Amino acid sequence: MPEAASMLSVEEGRARILQSLAPLPAQLLPIEQALYRVLATEVESREDLPPFDNSAMDGFALALHGHAAQAGDVFEVQGEQAAGQAPQGREAACEIMTGAALPAGLDSVVPVEQVEVLAHDGAGRPSSIRLQAAVPAGQHVRRAGEDLRRGAQVLAAGRRLGPQQLLVLAATGCAEVAVRPRPRVALFCTGRELRDAPGALEAGQIRNSNGPYLRAALAAAGAEVRAHATLPDEPEPLEAACRSALADGIELIISTGAVSMGRYDFVPETLARLGADTVFHKFRMRPGKPLLFARLPGGALYFGLPGNPASSAVGLRFFVEPALRALLGLAPELPLRLPLLEPARKKSGFALYQKARVELDAKGQAGVRLLPGQESFKVLPISRANAWALLPEQAETLAAGSLIDVYGLEHWGLQFSSENPT
Ligand code: AMP
Ligand code: MG
């Protein structure tokens, strides 16, 4: 059997990862600490919003009893109603400020710009006004519950709490929310060639770029990186680091490097020592074909990402992040379908994840361009991409205009802009 036939497709690989993954048990957090967390339960409003009928304008509150008033009508005015004051029942019209409760007995508001003040009282306040424009009954009144009724759903479970969601929670008096904990991750970069320290490289060394990249990308993806280390090319230090991470209760271990076929590719051996169940190792994908996925005793997940930066980026984005989504209680992502701006070619038999840019034409219509420099060791194109494009496993030639799957840089959604790529 040719090698490719025995390997899983990307869809099969992802399905095996997601199998039996359940959302983490919810935790309660005050909303001040809940920014960018994912709601575990729906939130219902405990209050009407607005909480009471109130004025949308600075002006005068009138009693129209369902009939429009006409320009020229004269009203006697008594007193005022300011924002924050408890409303009093009133016989006559009164001065009213924006946001002030509509007094009982009054039902419509005329803006101050649309009246002529005919007389003032002893304190210099308007005591009589004439309308300069017609006032429909109920004008400029914000009704209690018009935005949101008490008991109605404010936010659904699975919603990520951005500033806009905190706004509605604060507006409805919700002080605490049930959210998913951040999945806890340990990250281990392997390779004796890796240098973390600043300063000149010694012969044979390269900078550890995956470490800072993956720590940042994991935090951005909603995980908490509890431990990280750079380890030499031997199984014992990785085994010890994994054991201590497991003792800390982490849900995910991610390693980079040492999963290919080289002499120092010791991750499979380390997993055997840990008693792990290796679910797959390699599948029909580029870059990142030797990605390894295992379940550790106790249920933690192990992702062995290949060391090349683009391979580890693809492994994180398309295999680790779907697992994080499942732990956060989020549904699988749906790609955008966009037309290729230029023709593309590839060999059949493996899915190809490409660094890409979504570009807008003069009419604002989006298309996707594959970036030059797709070799998996190159890092500059990763910094210039604003999206990932997926060329399907069976495809060989794709004409310009073919629709392909496009994913944002982060699993939360697409955030494209038309800024200069450099
Ligand atoms: P490996 O998967 O260990 O065979 O590594 C594949 C390639 O990725 C080699 O050229 C490594 O030097 C490089 N590499 C491995 N780990 C890192 C890292 N943390 N940062 C940058 N490059 C790396
Ligand atoms: Mg290595």
Short mmCIF file of all heavy atoms in Angstrom, two decimals, residues 373-397:
data_model
loop_
_atom_site.label_atom_id
_atom_site.label_comp_id
_atom_site.label_asym_id
_atom_site.label_seq_id
_atom_site.Cartn_x
_atom_site.Cartn_y
_atom_site.Cartn_z
N GLY A 373 6.84 32.22 -1.31
CA GLY A 373 7.63 31.77 -0.15
C GLY A 373 6.85 30.84 0.76
O GLY A 373 6.77 31.05 1.96
N GLN A 374 6.29 29.77 0.18
CA GLN A 374 5.48 28.85 1.01
C GLN A 374 6.33 27.78 1.69
O GLN A 374 5.80 26.96 2.44
CB GLN A 374 4.40 28.17 0.15
CG GLN A 374 3.36 29.12 -0.42
CD GLN A 374 2.39 29.66 0.64
OE1 GLN A 374 2.26 29.10 1.72
NE2 GLN A 374 1.72 30.77 0.32
N GLU A 375 7.66 27.76 1.44
CA GLU A 375 8.49 26.73 2.08
C GLU A 375 8.32 26.83 3.60
O GLU A 375 8.26 27.92 4.16
CB GLU A 375 9.97 26.93 1.71
CG GLU A 375 10.24 26.79 0.22
CD GLU A 375 10.18 28.11 -0.53
OE1 GLU A 375 9.40 29.00 -0.10
OE2 GLU A 375 10.89 28.24 -1.53
N SER A 376 8.30 25.67 4.25
CA SER A 376 7.87 25.67 5.65
C SER A 376 8.93 26.24 6.60
O SER A 376 8.62 26.53 7.75
CB SER A 376 7.46 24.27 6.09
OG SER A 376 8.54 23.40 5.94
N PHE A 377 10.18 26.44 6.11
CA PHE A 377 11.17 27.03 7.02
C PHE A 377 11.08 28.55 7.04
O PHE A 377 11.65 29.20 7.91
CB PHE A 377 12.60 26.59 6.64
CG PHE A 377 13.10 27.21 5.36
CD1 PHE A 377 13.83 28.40 5.39
CD2 PHE A 377 12.86 26.61 4.13
CE1 PHE A 377 14.29 28.98 4.22
CE2 PHE A 377 13.32 27.18 2.96
CZ PHE A 377 14.03 28.37 3.00
N LYS A 378 10.37 29.14 6.05
CA LYS A 378 10.37 30.60 5.93
C LYS A 378 9.39 31.25 6.91
O LYS A 378 8.24 30.82 7.01
CB LYS A 378 10.01 31.02 4.50
CG LYS A 378 11.13 30.71 3.51
CD LYS A 378 10.86 31.29 2.15
CE LYS A 378 12.07 31.08 1.25
NZ LYS A 378 11.75 31.33 -0.17
N VAL A 379 9.87 32.30 7.57
CA VAL A 379 9.00 32.97 8.55
C VAL A 379 8.46 34.30 8.05
O VAL A 379 7.39 34.73 8.46
CB VAL A 379 9.71 33.19 9.92
CG1 VAL A 379 10.08 31.88 10.54
CG2 VAL A 379 10.94 34.07 9.77
N LEU A 380 9.19 34.97 7.15
CA LEU A 380 8.72 36.30 6.70
C LEU A 380 7.32 36.23 6.11
O LEU A 380 6.47 37.07 6.46
CB LEU A 380 9.72 36.90 5.71
CG LEU A 380 9.37 38.33 5.27
CD1 LEU A 380 9.40 39.29 6.46
CD2 LEU A 380 10.30 38.80 4.17
N PRO A 381 7.00 35.25 5.22
CA PRO A 381 5.63 35.22 4.67
C PRO A 381 4.55 35.02 5.73
O PRO A 381 3.43 35.49 5.56
CB PRO A 381 5.65 34.02 3.70
CG PRO A 381 7.10 33.76 3.43
CD PRO A 381 7.85 34.18 4.66
N ILE A 382 4.90 34.37 6.83
CA ILE A 382 3.90 34.19 7.90
C ILE A 382 3.52 35.56 8.45
O ILE A 382 2.36 35.84 8.75
CB ILE A 382 4.45 33.27 9.02
CG1 ILE A 382 4.75 31.88 8.45
CG2 ILE A 382 3.47 33.20 10.19
CD1 ILE A 382 5.33 30.90 9.46
N SER A 383 4.52 36.45 8.54
CA SER A 383 4.25 37.77 9.10
C SER A 383 3.50 38.66 8.11
O SER A 383 2.96 39.69 8.49
CB SER A 383 5.56 38.45 9.52
OG SER A 383 6.27 38.87 8.36
N ARG A 384 3.48 38.27 6.84
CA ARG A 384 2.81 39.11 5.83
C ARG A 384 1.41 38.59 5.49
O ARG A 384 0.65 39.30 4.81
CB ARG A 384 3.65 39.16 4.57
CG ARG A 384 4.93 39.91 4.84
CD ARG A 384 5.68 40.29 3.61
NE ARG A 384 6.74 41.21 3.97
CZ ARG A 384 7.78 41.47 3.22
NH1 ARG A 384 7.91 40.89 2.05
NH2 ARG A 384 8.70 42.33 3.62
N ALA A 385 1.11 37.38 5.90
CA ALA A 385 -0.21 36.82 5.57
C ALA A 385 -1.28 37.47 6.44
O ALA A 385 -1.02 37.88 7.57
CB ALA A 385 -0.19 35.31 5.82
N ASN A 386 -2.49 37.58 5.91
CA ASN A 386 -3.63 37.98 6.77
C ASN A 386 -4.69 36.87 6.78
O ASN A 386 -5.79 37.08 7.28
CB ASN A 386 -4.22 39.33 6.35
CG ASN A 386 -4.91 39.29 5.00
OD1 ASN A 386 -4.95 38.25 4.34
ND2 ASN A 386 -5.45 40.42 4.58
N ALA A 387 -4.34 35.71 6.21
CA ALA A 387 -5.30 34.61 6.16
C ALA A 387 -4.55 33.32 5.80
O ALA A 387 -3.39 33.35 5.38
CB ALA A 387 -6.37 34.89 5.12
N TRP A 388 -5.25 32.21 5.98
CA TRP A 388 -4.78 30.91 5.48
C TRP A 388 -5.75 30.45 4.39
O TRP A 388 -6.97 30.60 4.54
CB TRP A 388 -4.80 29.86 6.59
CG TRP A 388 -3.77 30.04 7.65
CD1 TRP A 388 -3.95 30.60 8.88
CD2 TRP A 388 -2.40 29.64 7.58
NE1 TRP A 388 -2.77 30.58 9.58
CE2 TRP A 388 -1.80 30.00 8.81
CE3 TRP A 388 -1.60 29.03 6.60
CZ2 TRP A 388 -0.46 29.76 9.10
CZ3 TRP A 388 -0.26 28.78 6.90
CH2 TRP A 388 0.29 29.14 8.12
N ALA A 389 -5.19 29.89 3.32
CA ALA A 389 -6.03 29.34 2.25
C ALA A 389 -5.81 27.83 2.23
O ALA A 389 -4.69 27.36 2.46
CB ALA A 389 -5.64 29.94 0.91
N LEU A 390 -6.86 27.09 1.95
CA LEU A 390 -6.76 25.63 1.89
C LEU A 390 -7.00 25.17 0.46
O LEU A 390 -8.08 25.40 -0.10
CB LEU A 390 -7.80 25.01 2.83
CG LEU A 390 -7.98 23.49 2.73
CD1 LEU A 390 -6.67 22.75 3.01
CD2 LEU A 390 -9.06 23.01 3.70
N LEU A 391 -5.99 24.52 -0.15
CA LEU A 391 -6.17 23.92 -1.47
C LEU A 391 -6.49 22.44 -1.21
O LEU A 391 -5.73 21.74 -0.55
CB LEU A 391 -4.91 24.07 -2.33
CG LEU A 391 -4.41 25.52 -2.50
CD1 LEU A 391 -3.23 25.56 -3.49
CD2 LEU A 391 -5.51 26.45 -2.96
N PRO A 392 -7.63 21.96 -1.73
CA PRO A 392 -8.10 20.63 -1.33
C PRO A 392 -7.18 19.50 -1.79
O PRO A 392 -6.42 19.64 -2.75
CB PRO A 392 -9.47 20.52 -2.00
CG PRO A 392 -9.75 21.81 -2.67
CD PRO A 392 -8.52 22.65 -2.65
N GLU A 393 -7.33 18.37 -1.10
CA GLU A 393 -6.46 17.21 -1.30
C GLU A 393 -6.41 16.77 -2.77
O GLU A 393 -5.35 16.52 -3.32
CB GLU A 393 -6.99 16.07 -0.41
CG GLU A 393 -6.12 14.86 -0.41
CD GLU A 393 -6.62 13.81 0.57
OE1 GLU A 393 -7.04 14.16 1.69
OE2 GLU A 393 -6.57 12.61 0.21
N GLN A 394 -7.58 16.69 -3.41
CA GLN A 394 -7.61 16.14 -4.76
C GLN A 394 -7.19 17.14 -5.83
O GLN A 394 -6.88 16.76 -6.96
CB GLN A 394 -9.02 15.63 -5.10
CG GLN A 394 -9.52 14.52 -4.18
CD GLN A 394 -8.50 13.40 -4.00
OE1 GLN A 394 -7.69 13.12 -4.89
NE2 GLN A 394 -8.49 12.77 -2.83
N ALA A 395 -7.20 18.44 -5.51
CA ALA A 395 -6.98 19.47 -6.53
C ALA A 395 -5.57 19.38 -7.10
O ALA A 395 -4.62 19.04 -6.39
CB ALA A 395 -7.22 20.84 -5.92
N GLU A 396 -5.44 19.66 -8.40
CA GLU A 396 -4.12 19.76 -9.04
C GLU A 396 -3.94 21.14 -9.67
O GLU A 396 -2.97 21.82 -9.41
CB GLU A 396 -3.95 18.65 -10.07
CG GLU A 396 -3.85 17.30 -9.39
CD GLU A 396 -3.46 16.19 -10.32
OE1 GLU A 396 -3.83 16.23 -11.50
OE2 GLU A 396 -2.78 15.26 -9.84
N THR A 397 -4.89 21.51 -10.54
CA THR A 397 -4.82 22.87 -11.08
C THR A 397 -6.09 23.60 -10.68
O THR A 397 -7.19 23.04 -10.74
CB THR A 397 -4.73 22.86 -12.62
OG1 THR A 397 -5.84 22.13 -13.12
CG2 THR A 397 -3.44 22.25 -13.10
#
